[in-house]
Amino acid sequence: LLSGVDFPVRSFSDLKKELSNGYEFINLFEGPTITKPISRFDRYYFELENRRSTGIKNKLVRGSEKLLHLFAKRSIPFKLYVGSNWFALSRNAIGYILKVIQEDKRYEKLFKWSLCPDEAFFQTILGNSPFKEKCRHNLTYADWSVPCPPAIITKEHIEKLKGKVEDGYGVFEPYFARKFNDQSSEVVARIKMELLNNPV
């Protein structure tokens, strides 16, 4: 799973070799955590296109949520796992997830009304499965040290991306980085030259 603002920082042959090692590349922590508190999951949240919007519709929905939070609290029927929503999973892991979703409706019921469910849905299913022991850090680097993260990748990041990096989930070797924008052409060109050995 990648976003439209990601770009590779390792060659395809290196990526293919890494993916052949038999691991599932998904950040997985037992929840809740400070950045992903239990209130995201044991309270009701409704779907909004942009929660930061100050429009009247958003204000009404968020107001309704706050009122509901005073009276309604949900139980979580399984151990909760959280992480980031970028991952690379094997066919077997994906098949397992689809089977669980079909057979155990509790997952869909809980996460349908959760906040940022993509940061816990797949993680919780895999964390409560035999695949847990095969899970490793995901393959995507993002810089969360700026006031409004993630940061746009700049020339200053390139040297760091040549080796292993560290984030809140641990130390790992990145195969992708995010995020890039329409002004990133010079940075992308340097990544191609210095990290991908591709001068084109």
Side-chain angles (χ1 to χ4, degrees), residues 154-165 190 194-195:
T154 65
K155 291 180 287 186
E156 286 69 35
H157 290 98
I158 293 177
E159 199 61 35
K160 177 184 287 190
L161 291 169
K162 291 179 180 178
K164 292 189 176 182
V165 296
R190 285 192 57 177
E194 298 183 32
L195 299 180

Side-chain angles (χ1 to χ4, degrees), residues 2-16 139-141 153 158 161-162 173-180 187-198:
L2 299 170
S3 81
V5 293
D6 291 6
F7 195 79
V9 294
R10 296 286 184 277
S11 69
F12 177 72
S13 59
D14 287 343
L15 174 62
K16 187 176 179 181
L139 304 174
T140 303
Y141 167 80
I153 299 297
I158 293 177
L161 291 169
K162 291 179 180 178
E173 185 174 14
Y175 284 76
F176 300 92
R178 67 182 296 265
K179 58 186 184 176
F180 297 82
V187 176
V188 167
R190 285 192 57 177
I191 288 174
K192 288 181 177 180
M193 179 71 74
E194 298 183 32
L195 299 180
L196 303 178
N197 297 317
N198 180 4

